[in-house]
Amino acid sequence: MSDSNIDSVLIENRKFEPSSEFASKARIQPADFAALHKKAEQDYTGFWAEQAHDLIDWQTLFNEILDDSNAPHFKWFADGKLNVSYNCLDRHLADKADKTAIIFEGEKGDIRKISYQQLTDEVSQFANALKAHGIEKGDRVVIYMPMTPEAVIAMQACARIGAIHSVVFGGFSAESLRDRINDAGAKMVITADGGTRGGKVVELKAATDKALDHDCPSIENVIVYQRTNHGANMQQGRDIWWHDAIAEQDTVCVPEWVESEHPLFLLYTSGSTGKPKGIQHSSAGYLLGAIATNLWVFDLQDDDVFWCTADVGWITGHTYVAYGPLAAGGTIVIYEGAPTVPDGGRFWKICQDHKVSIFYTAPTAIRALMKLGDELPNAYDLSSIRLLGTVGEPINPEAWMWYHKVIGKEKCPIVDTWWQTETGCNMIAPLPGVVATKPGSCTIALPGIDADVVDEDGNSITEPNKGGYLVIKKPFPAQLRTIWGDEQRYVDTYWPKFGGKYYLAGDSARKDADGYFWIMGRIDDVLNVSGHRLGTMEVESALVAHERVAEAAVVGYPHDVKGEAIFAYVVLRGVRPEGGIDEALTKELRNWVGEQIGPIAKPDQIRYADNLPKTRSGKIMRRLLRNIARGEEITSDTSTLENEDILLQLEGKA
Ligand code: WT7
């Protein structure tokens, strides 16, 4: 970790206690909070066993709690059996059959409300359709869907029969889809003819066809949900319309009872190499984390309407849309579309119209909406909102204060939730009725989560505001189990230091004098663009796959809406463009990266040089490239550069 990463400059002193109105009605009161922490400290595994016992309906109750005999491969509740879909649906039918589970709104304003009974029927019916097409327990199914209730139905249907889903975000390209299908060895893709975003059709079926066009041997069938109805090319024998697939199916499907450790899903995320990692989650441990945090952090109560704006293509859309709130018997909102259609007031109109009480989004969205001014949110009645949340990157205090004042009317706690695809659920976050918040801090670790900041040798850093590695010191139920098909990478990525004893999150952080955590950034070559993780290597690999590119290096630089933006330094095959400028090629390369990975990965800036700056040993001087991209003073020793003249090219001065 470089020194610039470890020293902290930002000190924010404001502190906000929960309003008495909120606190008096919160699920977790100060005494409960103290009791949870005390129990977790005194009897760590007993604490989690008690939670698992109370929050999950088991088909076979577990006796074993934590098996750490094969660390870092942990097992939780291993001799128990359950079904996640049963826990999200069937168990609520006795008293909540008619309760609304999902309120859906499409970009064009189409609205559907789905009760728990209807959702159970639809999930069961679709689960039967999956079985009829040969999907069995343990098979991998890729879901590449627009943000409609059917995406949740598809996930729940897989869970119901023990199939392992892997949702691929609809914004990813055909190439990304193909890589993920192949890595997972998926038997089926569930997609739609298209989705809608910003008034445009997202060509999901066309991209699926392109992905399956070659080198994708494991896929047997594609089920296509009809959403846009703009025409899809159905391949006979392979492709089936969703409505045809369910037509003859029963709405009763007995859940497949699976072992606690049975994989519930894979979700691909970027790391510091070019190849995304298939993060593998368990059934029971994951479900437990999802339920507990929906209750603790989001204070989900019976009359709440919870809107987490994340797409199901990300972990947030798994834990706080498709699984957690349903397992807790809540009502969720799903919106398919852009936040700016017809104008930047859309989110606030949805909050008003559906009486959203809990609203959870990303700092990048907050900053983008903040820029549009206060008139938009002020035009709507936001009085139903009682709790706000953020996730994905550190929120800057200015955006936090705007969220607090203009959206929360100074009465709603803000839960800033630190977690990762790998952790499955919130890890460091305030319990909103108890823990005072500070703008920009995710506050303190949840009960049963042993988070800390340590130095290079794994010692706790006790000096306030001194940066170090963010680690989790004890195994916890919702953590990833492995990287699909790559045990070694799992061990190497998350347990490389401190004798393999602590989970290494990959973030640097500091704790202030109150013990509050402040996340400072990644310690690896991972970018955070609009709250989404992208590996620099991934973007570099995409660039060098272009016929005109010989070499590329990618770094991040601060961006006022996206958080971080992408700067690419490119060495072309053949001559460098005159003055380093070739707008047509830049456009082509940006689109190329968009096709290779997805539009979020398009570099914001591309600069051409005859060479990349390398040390004599051949290492790319990334710090130097970062300094240039950020307009900072160059601190690297450039005398070791093989060719100092390229500095001017890199700086855009030649
Ligand atoms: C990385 C995980 C967890 C869902 C969204 C992203 C950063 C996440 C926060 C936060 C500061 C945060 C970290 C983390 N991050 N939440 N509240 N404050 N940073 O999931 O793609 O797995 O990325 O996002 O750097 O390691 P992800």
Side-chain angles (χ1 to χ4, degrees):
M1 176 163 29
S2 68
D3 292 346
S4 59
N5 240 346
I6 220 161
D7 289 328
S8 174
V9 279
L10 184 116
I11 304 286
E12 162 71 52
N13 290 316
R14 285 171 287 194
K15 200 167 175 176
F16 296 83
E17 298 291 340
S19 70
S20 54
E21 197 202 330
F22 184 95
S24 65
K25 295 184 193 133
R27 237 177 215 285
I28 307 290
Q29 294 291 319
D32 309 316
F33 183 66
L36 285 169
H37 272 290
K38 192 169 166 207
K39 171 87 186 169
E41 272 150 36
Q42 288 175 348
D43 176 11
Y44 183 72
T45 54
F47 166 82
W48 281 116
E50 194 174 289
Q51 296 299 326
H53 188 270
D54 292 353
L55 299 178
I56 291 176
D57 277 15
W58 296 88
Q59 200 262 343
T60 308
L61 191 61
F62 60 93
N63 285 305
E64 294 165 25
I65 307 174
L66 168 65
D67 176 356
D68 56 3
S69 58
N70 189 26
H73 302 279
F74 302 102
K75 290 182 181 166
W76 285 89
F77 323 118
D79 59 347
K81 279 195 165 184
L82 77 163
N83 180 279
V84 171
S85 159
Y86 176 90
N87 273 274
C88 294
L89 303 169
D90 310 55
R91 70 159 161 170
H92 303 312
L93 296 181
D95 61 339
K96 295 193 176 84
D98 296 330
K99 178 174 176 172
T100 301
I102 299 178
I103 302 171
F104 170 71
E105 183 166 322
E107 194 173 70
K108 297 193 181 91
D110 45 318
I111 291 169
R112 269 157 70 194
K113 291 188 181 171
I114 304 173
S115 69
Y116 269 96
Q117 182 66 59
Q118 286 170 313
L119 189 61
T120 309
D121 293 348
E122 292 193 32
V123 167
S124 301
Q125 194 176 37
F126 191 66
N128 284 329
L130 294 178
K131 286 205 275 190
H133 287 92
I135 301 300
E136 294 175 0
K137 180 183 174 196
D139 285 343
R140 276 80 62 211
V141 173
V142 163
I143 298 175
Y144 186 58
M145 292 279 281
M147 194 54 191
T148 59
E150 283 66 25
V152 174
I153 291 169
M155 294 163 78
Q156 288 280 350
C158 287
R160 197 164 188 90
I161 63 171
I164 305 168
H165 62 68
S166 179
V167 184
V168 176
F169 174 54
F172 278 129
S173 68
E175 318 298 323
S176 295
L177 177 63
R178 181 190 299 133
D179 291 346
R180 287 158 173 76
I181 290 171
N182 283 335
D183 191 83
K187 231 170 148 177
M188 179 186 273
V189 179
I190 303 169
T191 187
D193 47 357
T196 312
R197 194 165 169 102
K200 289 198 208 110
V201 170
V202 184
E203 294 285 352
L204 296 168
K205 180 60 167 66
T208 305
D209 290 341
K210 196 173 162 198
L212 301 186
D213 185 39
H214 62 94
D215 299 332
C216 221
S218 59
I219 296 296
E220 293 172 6
N221 289 117
V222 179
I223 295 186
V224 187
Y225 172 64
Q226 199 165 49
R227 171 72 181 140
T228 46
N229 217 351
H230 72 298
N233 193 2
M234 299 293 279
Q235 185 177 312
Q236 244 206 331
R238 187 194 71 185
D239 302 352
I240 311 116
W241 287 109
W242 176 298
H243 50 263
D244 291 334
I246 60 170
E248 305 286 303
Q249 299 300 335
D250 197 8
T251 54
V252 174
C253 173
V254 178
E256 175 88 29
W257 306 108
V258 301
E259 317 74 55
S260 293
E261 285 297 318
H262 181 67
L264 178 64
F265 63 85
L266 311 178
L267 185 60
Y268 284 82
T269 190
S270 301
S272 42
T273 73
K275 189 173 180 261
K277 309 177 272 198
I279 302 301
Q280 179 182 319
H281 278 286
S282 68
S283 294
Y286 170 79
L287 179 66
L288 177 57
I291 303 174
T293 53
N294 271 273
L295 300 177
W296 295 345
V297 181
F298 292 100
D299 192 41
L300 192 57
Q301 302 197 21
D302 199 38
D303 53 355
D304 273 316
V305 176
F306 183 12
W307 185 20
C308 161
T309 66
D311 189 281
V312 288
W314 312 108
I315 191 67
T316 314
H318 284 57
T319 312
Y320 301 100
V321 181
Y323 288 114
L326 297 178
T331 298
I332 58 170
V333 170
I334 293 180
Y335 169 59
E336 185 206 5
T340 47
V341 175
D343 60 43
R346 186 62 180 268
F347 272 15
W348 318 126
K349 183 171 189 315
I350 292 173
C351 287
Q352 166 189 280
D353 292 354
H354 302 301
K355 303 204 163 35
V356 169
S357 56
I358 306 170
F359 180 73
Y360 188 29
T361 198
T364 183
I366 298 168
R367 287 191 297 265
L369 295 171
M370 175 175 82
K371 282 200 156 197
L372 303 176
D374 299 358
E375 296 73 31
L376 286 164
N378 287 343
Y380 297 97
D381 176 6
L382 301 180
S383 59
S384 57
I385 301 179
R386 65 181 191 94
L387 179 62
L388 296 169
T390 93
V391 61
E393 58 177 304
I395 183 167
N396 49 309
E398 186 197 358
W400 196 102
M401 288 306 298
W402 183 81
Y403 204 30
H404 171 69
K405 285 191 177 143
V406 180
I407 308 304
K409 315 293 179 201
E410 301 185 40
K411 68 179 170 63
C412 305
I414 297 178
V415 288
D416 178 342
T417 60
W418 178 87
W419 59 299
Q420 309 177 292
T421 305
E422 291 86 342
T423 67
C425 66
N426 297 167
M427 301 291 285
I428 309 179
L431 265 62
V434 180
V435 178
T437 55
K438 301 183 188 187
S441 166
C442 50
T443 73
I444 57 175
L446 296 179
I449 300 300
D450 194 0
D452 200 3
V453 178
V454 301
D455 66 17
E456 198 64 44
D457 302 317
N459 301 313
S460 285
I461 295 179
T462 47
E463 188 185 322
N465 297 315
K466 189 168 162 50
Y469 297 99
L470 181 60
V471 295
I472 313 294
K473 292 179 154 177
K474 290 196 189 94
F476 52 97
Q479 77 194 71
L480 82 161
R481 293 304 189 260
T482 188
I483 294 174
W484 180 258
D486 203 342
E487 294 284 328
Q488 195 56 46
R489 190 172 177 196
Y490 165 72
V491 176
D492 294 347
T493 307
Y494 304 108
W495 315 89
K497 287 173 172 283
F498 323 124
K501 280 201 328 251
Y502 301 156
Y503 168 83
L504 182 74
D507 284 336
S508 56
R510 64 183 167 91
K511 284 206 273 179
D512 67 16
D514 293 335
Y516 277 44
F517 286 84
W518 298 77
I519 308 299
M520 294 157 66
R522 296 286 306 189
I523 55 169
D524 49 16
D525 288 323
V526 170
L527 306 171
N528 189 333
V529 180
S530 300
H532 299 309
R533 227 203 276 190
L534 280 170
T536 51
M537 278 268 280
E538 231 176 313
V539 183
E540 287 162 6
S541 308
L543 282 167
V544 296
H546 189 276
E547 57 181 9
R548 291 202 49 197
V549 177
E551 253 193 310
V554 162
V555 298
Y557 66 98
H559 185 278
D560 61 354
V561 174
K562 298 197 230 186
E564 199 165 22
I566 300 177
F567 202 119
Y569 299 88
V570 168
V571 180
L572 295 176
R573 294 174 193 277
V575 285
R576 173 175 179 262
E578 184 74 32
I581 295 165
D582 185 339
E583 275 165 23
L585 180 61
T586 297
K587 193 168 166 214
E588 188 179 322
L589 291 180
R590 294 187 69 234
N591 288 335
W592 170 261
V593 175
E595 276 169 38
Q596 297 290 307
I597 304 175
I600 48 167
K602 286 185 183 179
D604 298 84
Q605 294 204 47
I606 298 181
R607 197 161 281 170
Y608 303 96
D610 284 328
N611 235 318
L612 294 177
K614 291 184 185 154
T615 59
R616 292 226 165 80
S617 62
K619 263 184 79 176
I620 294 177
M621 301 172 70
R622 287 180 178 279
R623 167 120 60 123
L624 170 68
L625 294 178
R626 265 195 294 268
N627 286 152
I628 296 174
R630 294 173 188 184
E632 295 164 354
E633 193 191 327
I634 292 173
T635 51
S636 317
D637 175 10
T638 51
S639 65
T640 56
L641 273 183
E642 271 187 44
N643 173 4
E644 259 194 277
D645 295 346
I646 61 164
L647 245 184
L648 290 174
Q649 295 181 358
L650 296 168
E651 290 178 303
K653 293 179 186 158

